[in-house]
Every structure is written in C-alpha cells, then in structure tokens.
C-alpha cells in the first residue's frame, strides 16, 4: 500500500470513529420514511405501540415480452433470457428494521430469489444488509455490519424493486459489504459520511486468475467519502461520493459517483454520473468481454475506464399516476490493450406508466418499454447486439407489521 493510500485509509478510520449518520442508513435502498399502513393493522386490527420491529416484503413480479433483431445483432439478451414472453420474479427480499430506543437501531434485508452461497466474509451472498446503528446525538451516528455501501447516485441508492433496468456500470459492482461508516449532519440539510469496507465479498482468486500473476492485497479494503445535500428548500438534492479501492497488490481503483436531482412538486429530473478509473479491472466487464473474444486467454484487463451518464424524468400528473422517461450512455475502455481501447458504447432507454391504486400502500402496476444497445469497435472482434422488452409489473413493498 503506497503512502497516499495509507494516509487516506488512516484518515477514514479516525474520522469514522468520530462521526456518524443522521438516520444510520442511506436515503434510499428501501428505507425511506413513510406512513404505509401494515397488514397487521389493517387486517388483524393490531395496534402498534413501538417502532422496535417493522417487517417488509419487497416484491417485483412481471410479465416480459422480449424482442430482438436476430439478423443483425443475434439473440443475446442482457439478462440471459431468450426471445418470447414469460413471467419473471425479478425481486423478492424480506426486510426487518426498527428503533430500539433513542440511540440503537438495526436493519436486516435478505434476498430470497437467488441461490445462497457462503462468501469469504462468512455470510451468505443473499444477505444485503445486516446493520446495527448507534446514534450519539442529533449530529453523529455510527453504523457497522453488512452495509449498503455509502456510494452516490440515485439509481444506486434506490430500492431495487423500483429500478426498471440497472445500468451496466452498477451491474459491475456489488454494493453490499462488511464494514463501518459514520456521518456528521452539517446543519439540517447536509450530511457527510465516511466509510471503510471490504472491497470484495470473496477472495481475490475468485475474480482474478492465478495465471495473471496478481497477488491479493494485504488490505483489500475500500474507503468512501459521501455527501448528501438538500438545498433550495429541497428543490436541489445531491448524492455524491468518491471511493478508493484496493484488492490486488499495488493496484488501485477510483470510483466517482455523482447524483443530482431537481425535485419539483409534480416532477423530478435526475442526472447520475458514474466513473471508474481502475488499474486492475474491478468491474470485470472488459475482462469478461476480452475472454469472450479470445476464449484461450485468462488475462485480466488493466487500466480500465468506465463512464456512465443517466438522465431520468418522472412526472406525477395526479397522486395515482407516475410517468417515467429515461436514457443512458455508457463507455468502456482498456487503455493498455489496443484492440479494447474505447471499444464499447452502450445506450439504454425506457418509458413507463405506473398506476398507484391505493395511496395507503406502496404498490403500483407498471407498464414499461425497456431497451438497450451495445456497439463495439471493429478491432475487439465482438458483435453488436441490442435487447428490448415490454414489461407489465406488480411492484409492491408490503408492510407486514
């Protein structure tokens, strides 16, 4: 670890002990403050006398009709699905959270719709969040455990059930790691957070081949600095972060995530920028595609660059209706490989209409058209492709108790 990295990590450790976050969690990730009536209250007429235990089911179930231009782009789909139509369980997570007293709170979220696998952190990869928070006062809170890592951007921060399609950049990282973060409320409208986490949930050998001659870092850790901003009476909001990662000896990655939102009474305009500068390919998108182009190679991409720009507009003509338009542009490059320098351009687009039948429940019916296109340069040897689908979904964050 070089002197700059040692200084950065030491500062993070010192600041994390002294600072904390206002609510002990990120703004989103399915932990928004809301007044949804629980099923226990509505059906069983049980009166809730404490906020120590809350139980949720996060669900997203859809029917998908998938399209593709096979003559030009082949039949490759971003989620591995073939053309045609079928029902799909996109998200199913159980969540428990609560405030035990004025100081202690907790949160646990577990994903049910994928097979579990024990990781090197000694937890199943199905565990998103298992966090304990201690609130020292109105300014300081400290959180520790398996965390939703404090990174910027609104698509990253949103509850996964609400995201119609994650961008390639976010598909290349895991946002849930063991670690600690703290934050300090700067007045009423701004929060600064510092965090220190494991870089990966598995040993480096799971991601990088031994033939590549790469050694695991002695301190495979990531540090992040995060700013939550709320200005102009809540009309201008920010989720900005910078992170430094170490997972391979003498190789580092920097992540810059900038989410900015114009928040008006009936519409919101959100601009996310995600950037990565990686001495060794942490996202693994380029490495995977290099090996697809040449199956005989086991090399890992070096000096990779990823840039993503997302623009989303949401309009609520009435409380019962949402209209959504979104688009994205993404670029990938491996500077040290001429065939893969500026080799990939990805575009995405989506439009949706959502109906909220009952304002006392966080449930909606969504009809969306979602598409993407990936263009490669001629040197890399990969074929362009696109994916498109029409999707009818039930999105429901069920408050059980």
């Amino acid at each position: 670890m070089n002197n700059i990295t040692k200084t950065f990590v030491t500062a993070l450790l010192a600041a994390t002990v002294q600072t904390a976050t206002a609510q002990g969690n990120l703004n989103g990730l399915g932990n928004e403050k809301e007044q949804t009536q629980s099923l226990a209250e509505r059906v069983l007429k049980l009166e809730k006398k404490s906020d120590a235990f809350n139980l949720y089911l996060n669900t997203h179930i859809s029917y998908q009709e998938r399209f593709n231009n096979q003559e030009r782009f082949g039949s490759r789909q971003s989620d591995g699905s073939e053309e045609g139509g079928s029902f799909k369980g996109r998200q199913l997570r159980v969540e428990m959270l609560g405030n035990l007293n004025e100081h202690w709170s907790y949160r646990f979220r577990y994903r049910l719709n994928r097979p579990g696998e024990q990781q090197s952190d000694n937890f199943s990869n199905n565990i998103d969040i298992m966090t304990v928070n201690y609130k020292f006062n109105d300014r300081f809170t400290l959180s520790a455990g398996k965390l939703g890592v404090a990174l910027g951007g609104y698509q990253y921060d949103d509850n996964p059930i609400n995201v119609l399609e994650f961008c390639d950049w976010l598909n290349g990282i895991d946002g849930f790691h063991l670690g600690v973060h703290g934050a300090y409320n700067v007045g009423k409208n701004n929060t600064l957070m510092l965090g220190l986490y494991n870089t990966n949930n598995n040993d480096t050998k799971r991601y990088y081949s031994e033939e590549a001659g790469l050694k695991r870092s002695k301190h495979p850790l990531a540090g992040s600095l995060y700013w939550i901003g709320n200005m102009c009476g809540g009309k201008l909001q920010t989720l900005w972060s910078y992170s430094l990662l170490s997972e391979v000896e003498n190789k580092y990655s920097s992540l810059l995530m900038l989410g900015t939102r114009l928040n008006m009474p009936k519409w919101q305009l959100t601009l996310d920028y995600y950037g990565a500068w990686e001495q060794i390919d942490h996202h693994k998108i380029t490495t995977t595609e290099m090996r697809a182009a040449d199956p005989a190679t086991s090399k890992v991409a070096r000096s990779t660059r990823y840039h993503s720009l997302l623009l989303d507009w949401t309009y609520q003509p009435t409380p019962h209706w949402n209209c959504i338009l979104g688009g994205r542009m993404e670029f990938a490059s491996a500077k040290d490989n001429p065939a893969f320098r500026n080799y990939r351009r990805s575009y995405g687009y989506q439009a949706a209409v959502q109906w909220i039948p009952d304002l006392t429940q966080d449930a909606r019916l969504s009809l969306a058209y979602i598409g993407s296109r990936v263009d490669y340069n001629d040197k890399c040897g990969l074929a362009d492709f696109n994916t498109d689908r029409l999707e009818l979904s039930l999105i429901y964050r069920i408050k059980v108790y």
Side-chain angles (χ1 to χ4, degrees), residues 58-105:
N58 297 282
T59 64
H60 186 146
I61 302 169
S62 68
Y63 176 82
Q64 297 181 356
E65 189 68 32
R66 295 174 290 272
F67 312 96
N68 210 345
N69 187 334
Q70 293 189 349
E71 291 185 2
R72 183 173 181 183
F73 300 105
S75 59
R76 180 175 176 180
Q77 296 284 343
S78 60
D79 62 356
S81 301
E82 297 179 353
E83 285 189 327
S86 63
F87 289 95
K88 193 175 184 69
R90 293 190 60 199
Q91 300 285 344
L92 179 59
R93 287 175 164 93
V94 63
E95 181 176 2
M96 294 174 282
L97 66 158
N99 298 300
L100 302 178
N101 55 38
E102 63 178 334
H103 295 292
W104 290 99
S105 62

Side-chain angles (χ1 to χ4, degrees), residues 25-36:
N25 293 280
L26 303 185
N27 279 355
L29 294 171
N31 193 37
E32 299 82 359
K33 297 295 183 180
E34 42 75 26
Q35 303 299 321
T36 302

Side-chain angles (χ1 to χ4, degrees), residues 6 44 72 80 96 113 170 187 279 327 358 367 396:
K6 287 181 179 178
L44 302 178
R72 183 173 181 183
M96 294 174 282
N113 64 317
L170 291 180
Q279 293 180 342
D358 183 352
L367 179 63
Y396 194 2

Side-chain angles (χ1 to χ4, degrees), residues 164-165 312-313 322-327 348-354 366-371 389-391:
L164 299 175
E165 180 86 341
D312 291 286
W313 179 69
N322 281 344
C323 301
I324 300 171
L325 289 175
Y349 42 89
Q350 61 186 30
V353 177
Q354 299 181 337
S366 173
L367 179 63
Y369 192 92
I370 303 162
R389 72 179 187 267
L390 185 66
E391 182 171 277

Side-chain angles (χ1 to χ4, degrees), residues 20-209:
T21 172
Q23 62 269 49
N25 293 280
L26 303 185
N27 279 355
L29 294 171
N31 193 37
E32 299 82 359
K33 297 295 183 180
E34 42 75 26
Q35 303 299 321
T36 302
Q37 188 179 31
S38 72
L39 295 182
E41 293 172 294
R42 173 171 286 198
V43 178
L44 302 178
K45 308 300 180 184
L46 294 178
E47 182 182 356
K48 191 173 181 181
K49 299 181 179 180
S50 170
D51 193 36
F53 180 72
N54 298 275
L55 178 63
Y56 292 87
L57 285 176
N58 297 282
T59 64
H60 186 146
I61 302 169
S62 68
Y63 176 82
Q64 297 181 356
E65 189 68 32
R66 295 174 290 272
F67 312 96
N68 210 345
N69 187 334
Q70 293 189 349
E71 291 185 2
R72 183 173 181 183
F73 300 105
S75 59
R76 180 175 176 180
Q77 296 284 343
S78 60
D79 62 356
S81 301
E82 297 179 353
E83 285 189 327
S86 63
F87 289 95
K88 193 175 184 69
R90 293 190 60 199
Q91 300 285 344
L92 179 59
R93 287 175 164 93
V94 63
E95 181 176 2
M96 294 174 282
L97 66 158
N99 298 300
L100 302 178
N101 55 38
E102 63 178 334
H103 295 292
W104 290 99
S105 62
Y106 68 93
R107 187 177 179 203
F108 174 79
R109 194 172 78 185
Y110 188 89
R111 186 167 181 176
L112 298 170
N113 64 317
R114 70 179 176 192
E117 176 183 303
Q118 184 173 341
Q119 300 176 311
S120 61
D121 61 12
N122 209 30
F123 286 119
S124 165
N125 64 330
N126 283 350
I127 298 176
D128 286 344
I129 299 169
M130 189 180 67
T131 306
V132 175
N133 316 295
Y134 185 80
K135 181 179 178 181
F136 291 89
N137 51 46
D138 288 340
R139 290 188 180 272
F140 298 91
T141 302
L142 186 67
S143 301
K146 186 103 180 250
L147 303 163
V149 178
L151 299 177
Y154 283 91
Q155 186 176 99
Y156 170 83
D157 194 57
D158 202 356
N159 188 330
I161 65 173
N162 295 325
V163 179
L164 299 175
E165 180 86 341
F166 281 102
C167 67
D168 296 339
W169 200 98
L170 291 180
N171 278 326
I173 64 170
D174 187 348
F176 305 104
H177 297 279
L178 273 175
V180 59
H181 69 223
Y184 175 72
N185 286 341
V186 183
K188 296 181 180 180
N189 299 318
N190 294 275
T191 300
L192 294 176
M193 300 179 67
L194 288 168
L196 187 66
Y197 319 93
N198 287 342
T199 301
N200 275 320
N201 289 324
N202 275 306
D203 188 80
T204 303
K205 291 181 181 179
R206 294 283 300 273
Y207 296 98
Y208 306 108
S209 64

